[in-house]
Amino acid sequence: MARFNPFTFNKAIVRMPAPSVINGLRDGDHDGPDFAGIQAEHEAYIAALETAGLDVTILPARPDYPDSIFVEDPALVFPEGAIILRPGAETRRGEAAELVKDLKRHFNTILKIEVGCVDGGDILALPDKVVIGLSGRTDLVGAKSLARCLESLGYDSVLAKTPPGVLHFKTHASALGPNHILTTPQLSGVDVFEGFDVLVVPADEMGGANVLRVNDVVLIGEEYPGTNRLLRDHAFKTLSLPTSEIAKIDAGLTCMSLRWMA
Ligand code: CIR
């Protein structure tokens, strides 16, 4: 495939949180987030996207889908078209169909995964390929179906393994720039990152590996000062955002938007 720029965007879609977000899926039985806290984090996130130059479409809350604020999981978007995914969690599957009419307003080409399951959180777009992480939410059948959709849009893809017990591939890896990846120690040596400079988050900041490069800035959770320092030491411009409430339902910064260059 021709080299692709997965960092430059002028459009985004987000969805408002519903009060039911406090019942969002999570690993373990700890308390959920505080609704006002989620609202504040979401608001700051939208403001950061707008400051970075994106035109943000804000979809209304869907109380029937507690996790629907995490629009990255049910769809993938590229300048050439959108792909409707099949989320691995039963309670989230309906979110994909709900996005179709909204995506049709922006994309002429809409493809769809019909079999298996794929969560957008497992899909990492790099300049030379798209990595599909196999996980508890993304299976081989879904991954192969996605690879065919990607090919028809002009993208090469490769499979990788999400570390056991980790929700999504991107929970532990992010693309920082044309030559740089940020990972946890578990993913630092994987072959799909060969040829990239891999920066590794400090051992006590695993959650810091989920960052979002948007145009010239890297959005990072304010709970990860060591990771922030690491990025700044490598000349990345960063913006810290509060993420402690969304973290209670296993979410990070990439999952609250779909982003593309129109
Ligand atoms: C879930 O378990 O599906 C949600 N509570 C969190 C999804 C986070 N998605 C993402 O990081 N791509």
Side-chain angles (χ1 to χ4, degrees):
M1 78 182 212
R3 271 181 85 81
F4 160 66
N5 180 338
F7 312 109
T8 304
F9 311 109
N10 60 6
K11 295 270 185 193
I13 288 179
V14 303
R15 187 182 289 288
M16 291 303 285
S20 61
V21 70
I22 62 169
N23 301 317
L25 295 172
R26 74 208 69 162
D27 189 25
D29 59 3
H30 56 269
D31 283 350
D34 167 65
F35 181 50
I38 293 262
Q39 285 177 304
E41 290 179 7
H42 196 248
E43 204 175 301
Y45 182 79
I46 293 173
L49 294 182
E50 288 177 339
T51 302
L54 278 66
D55 170 28
V56 182
T57 299
I58 304 175
L59 303 179
R62 289 295 305 250
D64 44 346
Y65 293 109
D67 283 299
S68 56
I69 176 179
F70 306 123
V71 283
E72 174 179 76
D73 292 319
L76 278 183
V77 292
F78 294 93
E80 296 79 7
I83 306 175
I84 307 295
L85 302 176
R86 245 181 132 245
E90 204 61 55
T91 55
R92 302 201 58 191
R93 198 142 299 157
E95 292 176 31
E98 292 304 326
L99 271 177
V100 174
K101 66 174 186 322
D102 302 299
L103 291 172
K104 275 191 175 153
R105 294 203 182 99
H106 299 278
F107 297 93
N108 294 326
T109 302
I110 307 234
L111 306 176
K112 194 170 175 211
I113 303 291
E114 304 279 4
V115 290
C117 28
V118 180
D119 269 20
D122 283 315
I123 314 306
L124 179 62
L126 299 180
D128 59 341
K129 60 184 172 289
V130 177
V131 180
I132 305 175
L134 298 173
S135 73
R137 299 282 182 91
T138 297
D139 65 15
L140 192 57
V141 174
K144 286 185 173 166
S145 174
L146 175 60
R148 286 191 290 275
C149 291
L150 287 167
E151 195 182 351
S152 76
L153 293 180
Y155 293 89
D156 294 339
S157 59
V158 291
L159 295 181
K161 282 196 186 123
T162 300
V166 172
L167 177 60
H168 287 132
F169 190 78
K170 282 192 294 193
T171 312
H172 275 223
S174 306
L176 287 172
N179 307 309
H180 288 87
I181 305 280
L182 179 69
T183 73
T184 59
Q186 286 107 303
L187 278 185
S188 62
V190 297
D191 52 3
V192 294
F193 298 143
E194 218 170 275
F196 286 89
D197 285 336
V198 178
L199 308 184
V200 181
V201 300
D204 57 348
E205 292 194 5
M206 291 299 159
N210 182 270
V211 298
L212 178 59
R213 168 82 189 263
V214 184
N215 298 335
D216 68 340
V217 67
V218 180
L219 308 184
I220 177 168
E222 68 186 11
E223 301 78 16
Y224 309 108
T227 307
N228 196 350
R229 256 192 317 275
L230 176 71
L231 300 188
R232 286 173 178 255
D233 285 350
H234 284 79
F236 290 101
K237 178 179 160 193
T238 61
L239 176 67
S240 298
L241 292 174
T243 59
S244 60
E245 293 304 310
I246 58 166
K248 292 177 186 165
I249 41 175
D250 301 343
L253 290 166
T254 56
C255 59
M256 287 194 291
S257 60
L258 288 167
R259 310 150 299 271
W260 74 100
M261 185 69 179

